[in-house]
Amino acid sequence: MKLFLLIGIINGFLAVALGAFGAHGLEGKLSAKMIATWEKAVTYQMFHTTALLVTGLLLMKTTQTSIVSAGWFFLAGIILFSGSLYIYSTTSIKTFAMITPIGGLAFLIGWVILGYAVVKHIG
C-alpha cells in the first residue's frame, strides 16, 4: 500500500513540475499544437496520479491482488501515455505518438480492474 502512495506522490510532484515547465520553459519554443499535447500529457498524468493514490488507500483496507494489478496498469499508462506525449511534443517524432494508445489502453484496463475489485471485494 505504501508503495502506491509513494508512487502517486512522486507522480503528483512530477505532474506539477512538468506542467510548470510546459507553461514557462517551453512557451515560445513549441507550436501551439505541441504545447496542447504536452498539456494533455500533464492532465492525464495528474488524473492517474489520483488513481494511484486511491489504489494505495484501498490497499490499506484489503490486499486484493486485483487492486495491486490496477495500480501497476495506472503506472504503466502514465509512463506509456504521458511519457510518449512528452517525448513526441518535444521531438515531433511520430513513433512516440503511436505508443500513446497503448498507454490509454493500460489506463482503461486499470479502471476496469479497479472497478471490479471495488465491487467484488470492498464492502
Side-chain angles (χ1 to χ4, degrees):
M1 86 182 103
K2 188 186 274 187
L3 177 63
F4 285 109
L5 291 173
L6 290 173
I7 292 171
I9 290 164
I10 290 166
N11 269 282
F13 174 88
L14 289 172
V16 172
L18 289 166
F21 177 70
H24 305 291
L26 296 177
E27 186 179 26
K29 294 181 176 86
L30 299 180
S31 69
K33 178 183 183 233
M34 290 306 183
I35 290 290
T37 300
W38 183 276
E39 290 171 352
K40 179 75 67 185
V42 170
T43 299
Y44 274 75
Q45 183 174 358
M46 188 55 86
F47 283 150
H48 291 89
T49 290
T50 304
L52 286 167
L53 294 171
V54 167
T55 299
L57 293 173
L58 286 172
L59 286 170
M60 295 173 85
K61 184 170 175 77
T62 181
T63 58
Q64 287 299 316
T65 57
S66 53
I67 295 174
V68 173
S69 295
W72 289 121
F73 274 103
F74 291 138
L75 180 59
I78 289 170
I79 293 166
L80 295 171
F81 185 93
S82 295
S84 66
L85 288 180
Y86 291 133
I87 295 169
Y88 170 63
S89 64
T90 55
T91 66
S92 297
I93 299 172
K94 291 191 186 273
T95 304
F96 290 106
M98 293 167 38
I99 296 168
T100 307
I102 299 167
L105 182 61
F107 286 148
L108 292 170
I109 292 169
W111 285 113
V112 168
I113 293 172
L114 187 64
Y116 168 80
V118 167
V119 168
K120 187 81 173 167
H121 302 291
I122 305 295

